[in-house]
Amino acid sequence: MKHWTRWQLPLMQSLPPALRDWLTDTGSLTRLLQQSCQHDFSVELLSSQWQRPLPDEALLLGQAREKHAFEREVYLMDGEKPQIYARTVVPMNTYFARTQRFDSLGNQSLGEMLFNQPGLKRRPIQVACLQPGQFLFELATKRLTIQPEFLWARRSCFYIEDKKILVNEVFLPSDKWSNQ
């Protein structure tokens, strides 16, 4: 049985010191990662499809669990090494209201598109320590060769012209934040 993720507002003292700034930064995580890459930054598209969101995603987006949303999963890469697993959930009304189609991003960064939108608003960031058996942990690690004991993640809703987009970002094992 898969377990729901316990999301909460970040309490600085409870976050691992090496990840505090990464988890709480309100700017583009893509830009932060690009600045810290030792090798070439890239986006690896894992999937891009219509499906039902995870239960806690549907709840946060205020939509029925059985209603489909456009979901995009990528790895943000430093050379050949995945650093971040990012999962974006776009409700139907947001998807069809946009002229820029989310399914045409391919290996481009969603962050570059989002943070260049006029009037972009971001709800507060929530953080979680993911454990094996939780939906998001399993999605983030299904292509990793080594299974970590836990992973830190953050998520927030973005609003473009009052249309919601949920972005989940899971920090994969990395030297950048190795002293978790």
Side-chain angles (χ1 to χ4, degrees), residues 9 21 24 38-39 57 81 92 94 105 135 157 162 180:
L9 294 175
D21 291 343
T24 58
Q38 296 174 6
H39 306 286
E57 293 171 338
K81 188 165 171 49
M92 256 187 226
T94 302
L105 285 171
F135 290 110
C157 274
D162 298 324
Q180 291 184 23

Side-chain angles (χ1 to χ4, degrees), residues 25-84:
D25 188 272
T26 58
S28 168
L29 184 60
T30 298
R31 284 191 194 128
L32 274 181
L33 193 56
Q34 286 170 328
Q35 293 166 1
S36 73
C37 278
Q38 296 174 6
H39 306 286
D40 290 334
F41 171 83
S42 64
V43 176
E44 181 182 324
L45 180 63
L46 303 173
S47 73
S48 177
Q49 61 192 344
W50 287 93
Q51 62 184 31
R52 291 183 336 177
L54 299 176
D56 63 319
E57 293 171 338
L59 185 65
L60 185 65
L61 290 167
Q63 76 172 46
R65 169 71 175 106
E66 62 278 352
K67 195 170 182 179
H68 281 73
F70 183 76
E71 297 177 359
R72 181 174 186 259
E73 297 173 283
V74 300
Y75 280 147
L76 302 181
M77 309 285 290
D78 183 349
E80 298 293 315
K81 188 165 171 49
Q83 303 291 296
I84 304 288

Side-chain angles (χ1 to χ4, degrees), residues 129-171:
C129 185
L130 305 177
Q131 308 290 325
Q134 292 175 319
F135 290 110
L136 196 54
F137 181 95
E138 299 300 328
L139 289 171
T141 61
K142 69 182 172 188
R143 294 190 175 136
L144 298 181
T145 53
I146 297 172
Q147 293 298 303
E149 291 180 42
F150 62 90
L151 293 170
W152 282 91
R154 72 182 200 167
R155 74 175 184 180
S156 57
C157 274
F158 291 88
Y159 291 82
I160 303 171
E161 300 168 7
D162 298 324
K163 301 290 184 197
K164 290 182 187 178
I165 299 168
L166 174 61
V167 178
N168 298 285
E169 296 159 323
V170 180
F171 293 76

Side-chain angles (χ1 to χ4, degrees), residues 96-115:
F96 289 112
R98 303 283 308 141
T99 54
Q100 164 91 38
R101 291 287 183 229
F102 296 95
D103 56 357
S104 67
L105 285 171
N107 289 333
Q108 291 178 301
S109 163
L110 173 73
E112 288 180 27
M113 181 193 85
L114 272 183
F115 284 93

